[in-house]
Amino acid sequence: MSLFVKKGSTKKEEARNRREVKKMFQKADRDGDGKLCREEWFRVLNSSGCPTSMQDVAEFFEKMDRDFDGKLSFAEFMGEETPLERLFRSMDKDGDGAVTKEEFISVCKNLTPQQVEEAFNKFDTSGDKRLDFKEFCLMIHGEEGAGD
């Protein structure tokens, strides 16, 4: 459920509210990459009369940036499931919160076993031969150990 949905609102009201929030989000996204960086969010809050420190912004991002890329997508901003979360869930066949090499290969059929092995060697920082969601995200973003 979205963070910006009022209890008891109709689907039509929810859709209108979502469109309005999306417009504000896009306006705040100065570089047009579809995501808000910390500086963009800081600027929006402070320019709209909501005095906020970069520390407050950093804490907000720590909580909301679920794919560990340092930015907020619209889905993350709204508290909704992101495409990366859906992809991970589709790969995690047994629902244990981690992706094994076998689960990974079953979805990414275009990769060779050697490519998968190399990816797991590089991004499985826990050494359990599986990728948890954070390791998976860091692999997708190509950022070894980022966000630690």
Side-chain angles (χ1 to χ4, degrees), residues 84-100:
L84 205 48
E85 289 169 321
R86 279 191 295 279
L87 176 60
F88 182 81
R89 195 169 31 83
S90 76
M91 287 184 158
D92 181 14
K93 301 292 187 198
D94 61 6
D96 67 352
V99 174
T100 64

Side-chain angles (χ1 to χ4, degrees), residues 12-69:
K12 194 173 185 178
E13 290 169 330
E14 286 177 22
R16 184 175 53 240
N17 188 33
R18 182 179 169 77
R19 283 191 304 274
E20 288 301 314
V21 173
K22 179 91 171 176
K23 273 190 226 174
M24 290 185 288
F25 182 92
Q26 290 170 331
K27 188 175 180 182
D29 178 21
R30 286 242 169 122
D31 63 7
D33 69 351
K35 294 187 169 207
L36 294 183
C37 68
R38 292 173 188 219
E39 293 75 21
E40 289 168 331
W41 185 235
F42 176 80
R43 190 180 314 111
V44 165
L45 290 173
N46 283 286
S47 67
S48 64
C50 183
T52 306
S53 69
M54 277 307 283
Q55 178 62 37
D56 292 336
V57 169
E59 289 170 11
F60 180 74
F61 270 67
E62 281 292 314
K63 185 170 64 173
M64 301 298 288
D65 178 22
R66 296 188 316 272
D67 68 2
F68 307 100
D69 67 351

Side-chain angles (χ1 to χ4, degrees), residues 38 62 65-70 122-123 125 132-148:
R38 292 173 188 219
E62 281 292 314
D65 178 22
R66 296 188 316 272
D67 68 2
F68 307 100
D69 67 351
K122 185 173 182 180
F123 293 99
T125 57
D132 63 25
F133 185 65
K134 183 173 185 177
E135 292 167 334
F136 176 79
C137 289
L138 295 176
M139 179 191 63
I140 295 296
H141 300 309
E143 299 175 25
E144 189 174 2
D148 286 340

